[in-house]
Amino acid sequence: MKFDTKTIHGGQEDIDPAYGAVMPPIYQSSTFKQISPGKDKGYAYARSGNPTRTALEKSIASLENGKYGLAFGSGLAAIDAIFRLLKPGDEVISTSDLYGGSFRLFDGVFKDMGIRFHFVNMQTTKSIEKYINDKTKLIWVETPTNPMMSIIDIESISMLSKQHKILLAVDNTFATPYLQQPLELGADLVMHSATKYLGGHSDVIMGSVVVNDDSLAERLYFIQKACGAVPGPMDCFLVSRGIKTLHLRMQRHCENGKAIAQYLRKHPKVQQVYWPGFEDHPNHEIAKKQMKGFGGMVSFSMKGNSYEEAMSFLKKLCIFTLAESLGGVESLAGHPASMTHGSIPKEEREKSGVVDSLIRLSVGIEDIEDLIEDLQNAFRK
Ligand SMILES: *Cc1c(COP(=O)(O)O)cnc(C)c1O
């Protein structure tokens, strides 16, 4: 089955044996009647499993070419479940240019539980190799990175992780399985904030994990059930529905993202545009190798690097909404220095490129002429 068919049919065989509904029915039930004590029809209590959730979990697994999919109450709950595979004393090597919430979970929760983190610029495998020792249990990769849009070579890191028997996990939220399939590139775990492109309509918070390894899946199912951070059936339905148009939405996100990156690059007020589709982007070759397109996320900085000018630009936008998050049908604009990266000291964040005038756009699927006109108006004094 090709990807564009999988978004609609992947893992969805016989989803409603009772009546043949075409969409997964929303089983809004916390418990299921047993045939006799201890004998059920496949579902007993909805924390352990719910048919609407199963339909979604199979769909996401199919998109990532994985055997097992698991859904969680949020992207962070999915990451939390992965880190519960570790024990005190274990070490993790993580991408340094990281989603703020992931950093908060690592630094504010798991560090206190005895897990040691090394935040590393993963542009070369050498920079990672330096931190590997016999306590290293997991490499955490986010690519494209947020908000600087650097690309990390998943395949070459997977060779390193396999050689040292370390798990490799990839946060695939920005790219989606439409653009990039980490398991195919050698990762052991792929994680999503389904809140973003998978759901695609900014109406639900959800996370997922996909793996191929049987014993890893067994352990994660146990954690999902034992810790209980599961999504409700209505939310599972919404993400199932979102996924059915993932390929169409991503095509338009990529087209619009490209047009906006090119427009911004020519604008006299723009200092730099961060988008991996540019041939002179430092990681363009890796992006071309591991991604099918360059996505709808674009960041840029302004000449003069004025905080006030960035603020006034953001306030003048009409179609782009000033908001956190990304990956929905609507275009959003964000100011990393005061929003997602606000808690990082100015000197620290500027080292990684998050300057006062940096603006991050999640380019939606509206008409491109309207989007460019909106930016044009916001640049005017
Ligand atoms: C949003 C996001 C998360 C966290 O997901 P939630 O659904 O908000 O918990 C993790 N990683 C990335 C890259 C994200 O964009």
Side-chain angles (χ1 to χ4, degrees), residues 74-76 99 142 171 173-174 191 193 195-196 205-206 326:
S74 69
L76 283 171
Y99 175 71
E142 194 179 308
D171 181 337
T173 302
F174 269 40
M191 168 264 156
S193 168
T195 311
K196 316 294 168 54
I205 297 281
M206 185 163 334
L326 59 115

Side-chain angles (χ1 to χ4, degrees), residues 42-59:
Y43 295 92
Y45 183 66
R47 178 166 20 78
S48 319
N50 172 301
T52 320
R53 191 172 98 212
T54 305
L56 172 68
E57 291 178 328
K58 286 185 170 169
S59 163

Side-chain angles (χ1 to χ4, degrees), residues 244-284:
K244 292 192 190 281
T245 54
L246 177 67
H247 52 306
L248 294 175
R249 288 185 285 108
M250 287 312 292
Q251 277 169 24
R252 182 66 84 86
H253 283 299
C254 289
E255 280 168 29
N256 284 358
K258 179 180 180 178
I260 283 184
Q262 286 172 338
Y263 161 78
L264 288 169
R265 193 174 221 196
K266 289 197 209 104
H267 199 283
K269 287 199 178 163
V270 171
Q271 176 73 34
Q272 199 169 346
V273 184
Y274 302 92
W275 179 67
F278 289 131
E279 273 175 28
D280 58 358
H281 182 287
N283 314 125
H284 180 66

